[in-house]
Amino acid sequence: MHQAIPYMSSHNNNFGNINENYYSNKKKENHASSKGEEKMILNMVSENAVIVIGKRGCCMSHVVKRLLQSLGVNPAIHEVEEEKDEVIVARELESIIEGNVQFPMVFIGGKLFGGLDRLMATHISGELVPLLKQAGALWL
Amino acid sequence: MIGAGNWKRLNWIMVCVENLVLYFLTNMDPSSSSQFVSSRNIGVYDPIHQFTIWEEHFKSNGDSSVYEPEMKLNNQSEDASFGILGTSIKYDHQEANKVTNKMQRRLAQNREAARKSRLKKKAHIQQLESCRLKLLQVEQELDHTKQGLYIGGGLDSNNLGFAGSVNSEIATFKMEYEHWVEELNRQMLELKGALSAHSSDIRIGELVNGLMNHYFKLFCMKSDAAKVDVFYVITGMWKTTAEGFFLWIGGFRPSELLKVLVPLIEPLTEEQRFDAYNLEKSCRQAEDALSQGMEKLQGMLVDTVAAGQLVEGTYIPQMDIAIERLEALASFVNQADHLRQETLQQMSRILTVRQTARWLLALGEYFQRLRDLSKLWTNRPREPA
């Protein structure tokens, strides 16, 4: 049963080229809504080159999103609405995350990458862009 | 005119004098003078002198019991003047005990007095210390009021309000920051010396690491202070006015710094120049992302505060949410400092040890010049209004 999940679909923005946008959009559309709720998050993670999971209204998620967009990436965004959602998501992600679940978190290439700290650090050291290219989130 | 009472006293005095003379005349044996510690009154007895002393005593002591005064007469010769009264005086151990008791009492009184004066001194010092701290706080408040007037006009995008309250933890932070600056200058001097002395790369490397860690220490201090009063940290009230003008989320803007200082450390290899350029670009991207996050936070704060009817007394729930939003500010300060830290570290990777040293020195010098500029500006001669 497909449940409408309030996650932001990518809006038109000026970053990145058209091909990218198209590709990323395609990925999101492929997100099969017939899959079970429980696996929804995991599926999203594995199907998107880059996905950001954050709390709704959190400004740090916004920062993460903006940073990725400035690099030409169009990340999928999943917003966790309330407390109970948070618990569900956390439970799901336990299988792939060790330790505490801290929002916002970024998944690249189906694997947990980290939070804003790690994103900043790898971006400054110049390692982020190659990583994104490797995951297929960025095209030259 | 001498009154009746005084006549009685005078009479009594004369009796004492007579007894005294009598006593000495009959007891000249030195061996019996063991009770008298001070020997200088024996044999050189001056009744007139003694009389004067007693007279003065009676004048000052008024009604004190007549048979007691020998206790308080002339201090130096009191040992000698004890048992003078009365013809049948027994100079035995009782008198001797009186002497030691007297001495002990006096010593005890001295101890007590010394103790009291020590306590008084301690209390006085404590009072001075607390006044000093208060003065420091007041000075800082004055400082910040001045700075607030300068900063308030120039940073509309990031200035979320002038807090105005400086509690003791912030006062501590300000003091620690002053110490931090002193230590920074000391380390920079040391590094300068090592460079000009052509010390080994290892030595330079040590000093460079020390300096970088010193900067990281400041970021920790700021993080702690932000938990106490984020407005204070984010509006840069702890910095001088000129530094505050270039403020970005509670500190320096990394990309600005790179743009200004990298040209100063030429010569650079092509690769280095390329890496430095990329670093500057990455910094700018990260800064933009953070700035946009801050703007979003501001927008949300504005919406929260303005939500609902703007009628007095109905905005309490909004305030709670607003407070939550403001708590996110501290995390912005942390992220901005984290960016600064990463930038410093990346520069040290791009450059050689000696180049990093020169770059850090240029950095420190740049900030020092801004601080000096602030002082000059504050003290510039102004025309009377």
Side-chain angles (χ1 to χ4, degrees):
Chain A
M1 189 71 183
H2 171 63
Q3 178 140 8
I5 301 120
Y7 76 85
M8 249 152 54
S9 56
S10 72
H11 49 273
N12 278 335
N13 55 48
N14 298 327
F15 302 112
N17 57 47
I18 302 167
N19 284 337
E20 264 168 52
N21 279 341
Y22 176 70
Y23 188 87
S24 311
N25 282 340
K26 208 102 202 302
K27 274 216 156 170
K28 268 179 237 117
E29 278 153 30
N30 281 339
H31 168 66
S33 50
S34 56
K35 294 218 172 109
E37 244 180 73
E38 308 86 41
K39 294 224 149 195
M40 174 195 61
I41 306 270
L42 288 171
N43 286 333
M44 284 203 314
V45 164
S46 59
E47 289 183 358
N48 284 295
V50 180
I51 177 168
V52 179
I53 302 184
K55 286 200 206 159
R56 185 167 151 86
C58 170
C59 295
M60 285 304 175
S61 311
H62 191 73
V63 173
V64 169
K65 188 181 74 164
R66 283 290 192 218
L67 183 58
L68 289 171
Q69 283 172 345
S70 71
L71 300 178
V73 178
N74 226 332
I77 315 274
H78 176 73
E79 281 183 348
V80 172
E81 280 263 5
E82 280 157 48
E83 293 289 329
K84 56 180 172 72
D85 262 3
E86 220 178 295
V87 173
I88 298 172
V89 171
R91 229 188 322 127
E92 275 198 50
L93 295 170
E94 256 165 26
S95 54
I96 41 177
I97 304 174
E98 303 96 32
N100 282 332
V101 163
Q102 263 196 348
F103 299 107
M105 41 183 164
V106 182
F107 292 82
I108 299 182
K111 287 193 298 236
L112 173 68
F113 178 74
L116 182 57
D117 275 354
R118 179 137 191 247
L119 201 71
M120 286 283 196
T122 39
H123 178 54
I124 294 298
S125 65
E127 295 160 2
L128 185 61
V129 169
L131 209 70
L132 289 170
K133 284 189 184 156
Q134 206 178 30
L138 262 185
W139 301 78
L140 258 179
Chain B
M1 297 306 284
I2 306 175
N6 287 334
W7 268 121
K8 281 197 189 146
R9 287 202 189 100
L10 202 59
N11 216 21
W12 182 82
I13 287 168
M14 294 312 294
V15 165
C16 291
V17 172
E18 279 171 353
N19 286 330
L20 194 70
V21 171
L22 269 175
Y23 171 73
F24 276 110
L25 286 178
T26 54
N27 288 292
M28 287 293 264
D29 180 2
S31 63
S32 71
S33 65
S34 55
Q35 291 88 358
F36 300 99
V37 179
S38 143
S39 59
R40 84 188 113 95
N41 286 350
I42 300 173
V44 194
Y45 182 75
D46 182 6
I48 305 300
H49 176 67
Q50 196 68 20
F51 172 76
T52 328
I53 290 161
W54 287 351
E55 188 190 5
E56 277 169 63
H57 169 74
F58 283 128
K59 277 196 192 135
S60 61
N61 258 16
D63 299 320
S64 55
S65 68
V66 174
Y67 292 101
E68 284 287 8
E70 72 272 16
M71 297 302 212
K72 295 201 180 107
L73 288 174
N74 184 5
N75 283 344
Q76 290 155 332
S77 62
E78 71 176 18
D79 310 312
S81 50
F82 273 102
I84 305 296
L85 264 191
T87 42
S88 57
I89 293 161
K90 296 186 80 161
Y91 295 96
D92 53 14
H93 280 300
Q94 225 178 24
E95 303 301 331
N97 280 344
K98 269 196 206 157
V99 178
T100 43
N101 280 347
K102 187 77 198 117
M103 264 173 66
Q104 277 170 359
R105 223 176 308 165
R106 186 142 302 243
L107 287 170
Q109 276 172 359
N110 276 349
R111 272 198 296 275
E112 192 57 38
R115 196 176 73 90
K116 278 202 188 125
S117 90
R118 273 197 301 273
L119 284 173
K120 252 195 243 169
K121 184 177 174 188
K122 205 169 158 190
H124 182 61
I125 290 180
Q126 271 173 356
Q127 200 190 23
L128 282 176
E129 279 292 307
S130 69
C131 282
R132 192 178 75 93
L133 267 175
K134 247 188 255 173
L135 184 67
L136 219 72
Q137 277 185 20
V138 170
E139 270 178 357
Q140 281 168 22
E141 279 193 50
L142 199 66
D143 224 357
H144 300 139
T145 315
K146 273 196 233 155
Q147 282 193 25
L149 291 173
Y150 285 130
I151 291 174
L155 293 168
D156 288 321
S157 61
N158 280 331
N159 188 359
L160 296 173
F162 174 48
S165 71
V166 180
N167 53 33
S168 63
E169 290 184 64
I170 296 295
T172 313
F173 170 75
K174 185 76 206 266
M175 263 197 300
E176 283 176 359
Y177 176 65
E178 304 283 327
H179 294 151
W180 183 88
V181 172
E182 281 169 18
E183 174 64 18
L184 179 78
N185 289 334
R186 189 194 68 77
Q187 286 194 20
M188 289 206 335
L189 220 69
E190 203 178 344
L191 183 59
K192 219 182 277 188
L195 272 181
S196 48
H198 303 290
S199 305
S200 69
D201 271 4
I202 299 177
R203 174 74 186 135
I204 302 276
E206 277 172 10
L207 293 174
V208 162
N209 279 336
L211 208 49
M212 302 241 294
N213 284 330
H214 194 58
Y215 276 106
F216 302 161
K217 184 170 163 216
L218 179 64
F219 299 145
C220 285
M221 282 161 60
K222 280 166 71 181
S223 173
D224 290 339
K227 289 188 194 117
V228 172
D229 185 352
V230 71
F231 286 121
Y232 179 80
V233 175
I234 207 167
T235 52
M237 283 163 71
W238 44 286
K239 287 190 175 241
T240 59
T241 45
E243 287 171 289
F245 180 65
F246 297 102
L247 205 71
W248 175 75
I249 310 188
F252 63 83
R253 191 181 271 270
S255 62
E256 264 306 310
L257 224 57
L258 290 171
K259 196 166 69 176
V260 168
L261 298 179
V262 167
L264 299 178
I265 48 171
E266 294 279 354
L268 295 171
T269 66
E270 271 310 306
E271 192 185 343
Q272 283 179 327
R273 215 169 291 138
F274 179 69
D275 286 339
Y277 170 74
N278 280 334
L279 177 59
E280 195 189 315
K281 189 165 134 206
S282 306
C283 277
R284 240 178 300 135
Q285 284 164 338
E287 286 162 24
D288 287 345
L290 280 173
S291 295
Q292 287 174 37
M294 281 282 281
E295 276 174 29
K296 176 153 191 243
L297 183 63
Q298 261 185 299
M300 284 164 69
L301 189 67
V302 163
D303 289 341
T304 308
V305 170
Q309 295 181 323
L310 286 174
V311 173
E312 198 180 312
T314 61
Y315 54 74
I316 305 300
Q318 277 91 301
M319 285 305 164
D320 289 338
I321 304 173
I323 298 265
E324 268 176 46
R325 303 254 183 266
L326 290 179
E327 278 162 359
L329 262 184
S331 58
F332 271 96
V333 173
N334 291 339
Q335 286 299 332
D337 279 345
H338 179 66
L339 179 63
R340 291 174 188 118
Q341 185 164 329
E342 290 298 323
T343 308
L344 286 173
Q345 278 179 332
Q346 180 66 3
M347 273 306 271
S348 72
R349 279 180 223 130
I350 295 174
L351 304 173
T352 67
V353 163
R354 300 196 108 83
Q355 284 171 325
T356 312
R358 283 176 23 230
W359 186 70
L360 285 173
L361 285 176
L363 189 81
E365 172 75 19
Y366 177 71
F367 286 129
Q368 187 56 48
R369 289 190 193 179
L370 283 180
R371 283 193 276 270
D372 292 340
L373 179 64
S374 300
K375 271 198 210 111
L376 284 173
W377 175 252
T378 320
N379 297 329
R380 75 193 187 284
R382 270 163 283 190
E383 293 189 2

